Amino acid sequence: MSLLALHEEAFSSEEGCYDWFVDNGASKHITNNSNYFTNFEVFESPRGVIAANGKIIPTIGKGTLKIVTKVNGEKQFKELKEVWLVPGISKNLFSVLATHDKNKNSKFESTAEECWLKINNKAVLYGTRNESGGLYKVHMEVLIPNNPIEVNLATSVDSLLQLYHERWGHQDKRHVKSLLNHELNIQVNIQEELCEACIYGKAHRRFQYFVVFKDQFTKFRCVFFLKQKSDVASALQEFLAYATNLGHIVKEVISDNGGEFDNKEVRMFLKKKGVVQRLTAPNTPEQNGGSERENRTIVEMARTLKISNPDVEFPPALWAELINTSVYILNRTGKSSVKNVSPYELWTGKKPRIKHLRIIG
């Protein structure tokens, strides 16, 4: 990854975002405005600038600007090439070093309040600063093109997270974000977009059944996907362990009298845990009406999600993901036994995040 260190004032917002300042330490010209470019090239590999606090801010690409400078009342029209686009900074920076690299006969001169950049002994840039110090403000303007290059800022910046998400084996993006910050000192935002490869690669396509455990008071649901009905026993063990770790005490399990619940393995496990097992009478689904309605609610929501967007065709392999999504939504937005409190909050003691929820597809 290519890095560029900048003066700490480059991240100050005291001046307008359209002003330009001389930075003797920066090795590249820097702008925060994507509308300036007459041509633009997106970086193929990650690059960034180092802020004053040591954090790395991602860059997007580089391009050319048309500028006009004012020196001794004279306007000079020029091109500024290889300017980096860094939306995360508040000041546009003119790099003396970049100019020296391009022009061997260039020279930078300065006093306490003024500065000049000369090429072949002719002043081509003039700047001033306050007596109190700080960066020199350049007497320069960018000529914004009538048809500026379109740069997708969100996609370009956030693609860093997706890039490392793919490089590191499609691990959870929250973990990748943390690792980028801790190991590479790179700050990125979590994207709302899903990773298509993850959806297909991690889909519960091998499972034929699902079982839902719902707490009677909080209305919180846990869904488990099963390859065969006999896997209910292991799912029940996992659910009870999860509930216990959160400090909940499960006193009773109510289910129908299907063989997946009414068997020796389940009975012995519940007895060992001190949990009462209550089975409904045969052919009396009304005794377990809550579970019947719950399954219907989840399946109907999943089916509605599937058909709500006519432009998207969900393959059968993603049916389990729709079930999982339905349970996720119901836990965070559905009703509980307490008014205006979600099942998730009652179950975990934490208020859920719901701003990230989007229309599926």
Side-chain angles (χ1 to χ4, degrees):
M1 179 173 183
S2 178
L3 298 177
L4 174 65
L6 299 181
H7 193 284
E8 62 180 357
E9 288 193 27
F11 302 90
S12 168
S13 58
E14 293 179 358
E15 300 285 349
C17 62
Y18 299 103
D19 296 324
W20 284 78
F21 297 84
V22 173
D23 192 334
N24 290 324
S27 58
K28 301 293 182 183
H29 305 301
I30 301 287
T31 183
N32 53 29
N33 196 324
S34 61
N35 293 322
Y36 284 166
F37 294 92
T38 57
N39 62 60
F40 189 79
E41 173 189 352
V42 176
F43 290 135
E44 293 183 0
S45 59
R47 303 190 184 189
V49 297
I50 304 176
N53 60 4
K55 297 296 183 181
I56 298 174
I57 301 177
T59 66
I60 294 178
K62 64 180 180 179
T64 301
L65 280 59
K66 291 187 180 298
I67 63 171
V68 55
T69 64
K70 297 179 182 179
V71 182
N72 298 324
E74 177 189 356
K75 290 185 177 181
Q76 301 183 37
F77 295 87
K78 300 182 180 298
E79 281 191 339
L80 200 60
K81 297 183 178 181
E82 295 193 7
V83 181
W84 282 23
L85 175 59
V86 186
I89 67 170
S90 57
K91 285 183 170 64
N92 301 301
L93 302 178
F94 183 93
S95 169
V96 174
L97 294 178
T99 305
H100 288 335
D101 291 340
K102 291 288 185 181
N103 302 274
K104 301 304 180 183
N105 295 323
S106 61
K107 181 170 61 174
F108 181 76
E109 299 177 349
S110 65
T111 66
E113 299 178 9
E114 297 177 295
C115 71
W116 298 265
L117 180 68
K118 296 181 178 180
I119 298 179
N120 296 324
N121 292 321
K122 179 182 178 181
V124 296
L125 193 74
Y126 173 70
T128 57
R129 70 171 184 168
N130 298 326
E131 293 182 0
S132 58
L135 298 176
Y136 293 97
K137 183 177 178 179
V138 183
H139 293 204
M140 179 183 92
E141 294 181 6
V142 176
L143 301 176
I144 300 178
N146 294 328
N147 298 305
I149 301 295
E150 292 187 6
V151 181
N152 190 332
L153 297 181
T155 300
S156 300
V157 173
D158 291 340
S159 63
L160 269 178
L161 178 61
Q162 181 65 25
L163 173 65
Y164 281 96
H165 170 67
E166 295 176 7
R167 283 182 175 180
W168 294 342
H170 292 266
Q171 297 184 70
D172 186 282
K173 285 188 176 180
R174 289 169 296 184
H175 172 67
V176 174
K177 176 180 182 293
S178 175
L179 203 60
L180 281 172
N181 185 35
H182 184 264
E183 297 294 335
L184 300 181
N185 216 15
I186 298 175
Q187 288 183 312
V188 294
N189 297 319
I190 292 290
Q191 297 164 288
E192 300 295 348
E193 291 79 8
L194 296 175
C195 174
E196 185 174 352
C198 286
I199 294 176
Y200 283 92
K202 300 175 183 179
H204 301 93
R205 63 186 66 189
R206 299 185 305 275
F207 299 104
Q208 300 296 319
Y209 309 96
F210 72 89
V211 61
V212 176
F213 299 110
K214 182 179 180 181
D215 179 57
Q216 192 172 28
F217 173 68
T218 65
K219 311 302 181 187
F220 185 84
R221 310 147 179 87
C222 281
V223 61
F224 295 87
F225 297 94
L226 316 172
K227 294 181 181 179
Q228 49 196 9
K229 288 187 176 182
S230 59
D231 292 337
V232 164
S234 60
L236 180 58
Q237 293 179 35
E238 186 175 344
F239 169 71
L240 289 180
Y242 168 59
T244 301
N245 287 338
L246 287 178
H248 298 293
I249 299 176
V250 179
K251 297 181 178 180
E252 185 179 55
V253 172
I254 305 173
S255 68
D256 60 32
N257 62 349
E260 62 271 20
F261 292 103
D262 187 12
N263 60 70
K264 183 178 179 180
E265 183 180 3
V266 171
R267 286 194 297 270
M268 293 296 293
F269 170 72
L270 292 178
K271 183 178 180 180
K272 183 178 179 180
K273 293 294 182 179
V275 178
V276 176
Q277 182 181 28
R278 183 151 62 90
L279 302 174
T280 60
N283 302 316
T284 56
E286 63 275 7
Q287 292 186 2
N288 197 23
S291 296
E292 297 291 336
R293 287 192 300 273
E294 182 65 27
N295 288 338
R296 186 168 63 250
T297 297
I298 293 172
V299 171
E300 287 178 351
M301 177 178 282
R303 186 181 296 117
T304 303
L305 291 173
K306 183 176 184 293
I307 65 176
S308 61
N309 191 339
D311 297 326
V312 178
E313 182 176 351
F314 291 93
L318 295 185
W319 174 247
E321 300 305 322
L322 293 171
I323 294 291
N324 207 25
T325 299
S326 300
V327 171
Y328 183 92
I329 293 172
L330 287 169
N331 280 337
R332 286 156 178 78
T333 63
K335 295 180 180 179
S336 71
S337 298
V338 179
K339 187 177 181 180
N340 296 327
V341 180
S342 69
Y344 180 92
E345 185 173 356
L346 276 185
W347 179 257
T348 66
K350 301 177 182 178
K351 201 167 186 65
R353 292 176 57 252
I354 59 174
K355 290 183 178 180
H356 65 290
L357 296 176
R358 296 291 186 272
I359 296 175
I360 195 167

